[in-house]
């Protein structure tokens, strides 16, 4: 086991989709074999948008179940819920003293959310990056497997770590994004517009909870055209996207066949989509079924959360103690 510590947070809102799977979970599963890992459901972060209290529990249970079904092993990693770790909000409070209003306001995700919910531009939204930094620094993590959209937040975590170290003495390593040296993947959406994402295009996004029928329907609706009529026609984006999706779930021979068909202007997109749909179904079905089974077994999920909480608090309480001392909050000795 290497010594660098890995931390990542999983949004508790919404259903996990293929973008989450290939962008994040697959890396978690690889990392759990090599590094001490802390993975958690970021339920506090979800409060920045005022979610329905009744949905919080089913969402948290589902996200846990889907991650475990995707291969995350609660025996190998600390898998926990953010709000189970009181040390996180305490460190968050401390880091907020090092975070400037100006830099928080400049954060891209803040500007976007403030635009989307102008009636609810709350302080939690503004300080989202400090809470995320606390999540990471509380375990002194060096590596954070996250997608591109989180790079700015990570940069801020590095700034806060540096500021803390500079002011109070070396305590935190600087956390960096880490994805085994592979380019951060973007999973294209089925409508040829951007990436799979819940907020942008629900119907062009494949979820790990989608039934076989829904998967087939979504794939068959993907945008195509008449096909190339001349050799060496460059592929339009929406066709390239279908090939990119195929590369995730289909066998090499299948992909080669359709590439050749395209090159020879013989491609039948209907057949290609049918093939892609079946390969997607085969890929998603076992994950979905395992996740459903786990969600029914609340006892097991509670045991997993509890054991994750114990592991995470063990590490978090040590760091917090050091941070308090470094800041001079040390009144009983
Ligand atoms: N902000 C991340 C997202 O939207 C979730 C998250 C919260 C996170 N805390 C984190 C990710 C700490 C990595 C590390 O996906």
């Amino acid at each position: 086991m290497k010594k660098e510590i890995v931390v990542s947070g999983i949004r508790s809102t919404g259903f996990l989709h293929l973008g989450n799977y290939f962008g994040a979970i697959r890396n978690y599963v690889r990392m759990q074999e090599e590094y001490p890992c802390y993975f958690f459901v970021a339920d506090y972060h979800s409060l920045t948008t005022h979610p329905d209290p009744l949905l919080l529990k089913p969402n948290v249970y589902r996200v846990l179940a889907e991650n475990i079904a995707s291969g995350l092993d609660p025996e190998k990693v600390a898998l926990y819920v953010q709000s189970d770790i009181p040390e996180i909000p305490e460190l968050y409070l401390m880091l907020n003293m090092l975070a400037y209003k100006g830099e928080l306001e400049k954060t891209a995700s803040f500007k976007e959310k403030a635009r989307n919910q102008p009636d609810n531009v709350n302080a939690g939204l503004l300080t989202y990056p400090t809470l995320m930094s606390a999540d990471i620094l509380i375990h002194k993590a060096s590596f954070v497997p996250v997608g591109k959209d989180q790079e700015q937040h990570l940069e801020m975590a590095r700034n806060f770590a540096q500021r803390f170290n500079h002011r109070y003495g070396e305590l935190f390593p600087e956390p960096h994004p880490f994805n085994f040296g592979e380019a951060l993947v973007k999973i294209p959406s089925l409508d040829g517009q951007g990436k799979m994402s819940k907020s942008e295009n629900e119907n062009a996004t494949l979820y790990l909870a989608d039934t076989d029928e829904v998967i087939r329907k979504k794939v068959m609706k993907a945008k195509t055209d008449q096909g190339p009529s001349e050799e060496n026609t460059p592929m339009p984006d929406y066709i390239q996207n279908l090939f990119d999706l195929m590369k995730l779930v289909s066998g090499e021979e299948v992909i080669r066949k359709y590439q050749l068909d395209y090159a020879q202007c013989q491609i039948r997109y209907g057949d290609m989509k049918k093939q892609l749909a079946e390969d997607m179904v085969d890929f998603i079905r076992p994950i979905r079924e395992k996740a459903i089974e786990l969600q029914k077994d609340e006892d097991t999920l509670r045991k997993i959360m509890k054991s994750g909480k114990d592991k995470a608090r063990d590490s978090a309480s040590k760091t917090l103690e050091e941070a308090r001392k470094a800041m001079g909050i040390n009144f009983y000795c």
Side-chain angles (χ1 to χ4, degrees):
M1 198 57 81
K2 301 195 175 105
K3 67 175 191 317
E4 290 91 350
I5 291 164
V6 172
V7 167
S8 197
I10 308 157
R11 273 177 246 201
S12 62
T13 43
F15 287 68
L16 292 187
H17 52 69
L18 273 198
N20 304 126
Y21 181 88
F22 287 104
I25 306 176
R26 200 175 46 162
N27 278 324
Y28 301 169
V29 172
R30 226 176 123 185
M31 282 177 158
Q32 71 186 357
E33 307 298 334
E34 297 179 32
Y35 297 94
C37 292
Y38 295 87
F39 297 126
F40 65 95
V41 184
D43 60 331
Y44 276 147
H45 274 113
S46 76
L47 301 182
T48 57
T49 54
H50 293 178
D52 181 346
L54 292 176
L55 292 182
L56 221 46
K57 178 178 159 181
N59 278 340
V60 167
Y61 278 44
R62 195 191 56 246
V63 167
L64 285 171
E66 286 183 333
N67 275 275
I68 297 165
S70 301
L72 214 63
D73 183 347
E75 302 263 323
K76 290 185 182 152
V77 306
L79 180 60
Y80 58 98
V81 181
Q82 185 184 33
S83 60
D84 263 340
I85 315 299
E87 289 80 4
I88 293 173
E90 200 170 330
L91 182 60
Y92 161 67
L93 181 147
M94 294 169 174
L95 295 178
N96 270 334
M97 311 304 167
L98 301 171
Y100 299 111
K101 175 172 169 276
E103 64 187 332
L104 294 170
E105 278 171 345
K106 272 198 314 209
T107 316
S109 62
F110 172 71
K111 290 200 283 192
E112 193 193 319
K113 288 260 173 63
R115 223 181 303 121
N116 291 345
Q117 51 179 66
D119 299 329
N120 181 21
V121 185
N122 59 71
L125 205 56
L126 182 69
T127 56
Y128 188 111
T130 34
L131 180 54
M132 179 161 160
S133 303
D135 293 330
I136 297 168
L137 300 179
I138 198 73
H139 301 300
K140 298 190 180 178
S142 302
F143 295 144
V144 186
V146 285
K148 265 204 176 339
D149 61 327
Q150 299 299 314
E151 278 179 351
Q152 190 180 28
H153 292 153
L154 261 192
E155 189 187 327
M156 295 173 82
R158 285 195 293 279
N159 288 338
F160 301 145
Q162 273 171 10
R163 248 173 250 166
F164 187 102
N165 292 346
H166 184 72
R167 199 169 294 183
Y168 302 115
E170 200 65 26
L171 180 61
F172 298 116
E174 280 180 30
H176 287 274
F178 181 74
N179 293 290
F180 291 102
E182 290 159 21
L184 292 170
V185 280
K186 263 195 188 164
I187 306 304
S189 82
L190 287 164
D191 60 5
Q193 315 259 330
K195 54 181 185 153
M196 282 197 189
S197 133
K198 179 180 158 50
S199 47
E200 283 164 41
N201 42 21
E202 187 114 11
N203 292 325
T205 294
L206 294 172
Y207 292 91
L208 298 181
D210 280 346
T211 61
D212 294 354
E213 273 328 294
V214 169
I215 297 168
R216 290 191 184 105
K217 228 164 70 202
K218 285 181 179 172
V219 174
M220 293 314 289
K221 277 214 296 234
K223 177 174 175 180
T224 55
D225 52 31
Q226 322 278 277
S229 48
E230 272 173 58
E231 279 183 24
N232 298 322
T233 309
M235 245 180 225
D237 281 352
Y238 48 91
I239 300 296
Q240 181 62 50
N241 287 348
L242 289 184
F243 276 99
D244 286 349
L245 289 169
M246 240 188 177
K247 282 177 199 150
L248 301 172
V249 294
S250 303
E252 268 175 44
E253 272 163 48
V254 169
I255 298 163
R256 221 173 302 125
K257 170 194 157 24
Y258 287 103
Q259 278 170 338
L260 201 66
D261 285 354
Y262 182 90
Q264 297 174 344
C265 306
Q266 293 173 357
I267 191 153
R268 293 161 59 135
Y269 288 130
D271 291 351
M272 179 178 175
K273 288 198 283 189
K274 257 187 217 142
Q275 175 78 45
L276 177 61
E278 288 322 304
D279 292 338
M280 279 293 174
V281 163
D282 288 343
F283 181 82
I284 291 174
R285 186 194 293 127
I287 299 177
R288 179 188 66 230
E289 286 176 351
K290 175 131 197 262
I292 290 172
E293 206 178 295
L294 258 169
Q295 281 174 86
K296 287 191 204 135
D297 187 359
E298 295 200 357
D299 260 355
T300 298
L301 285 177
R302 275 190 284 269
K303 273 191 204 122
I304 288 170
M305 284 191 285
K306 173 76 173 59
S307 126
K309 169 184 173 173
D310 292 343
K311 290 189 230 174
R313 286 201 70 186
D314 223 36
S315 144
S317 58
K318 288 191 188 108
T319 308
L320 187 68
E321 207 37 50
E322 290 177 306
R324 288 170 63 107
K325 262 201 195 124
M327 295 178 83
I329 306 176
N330 184 28
F331 307 140
Y332 289 94
C333 56

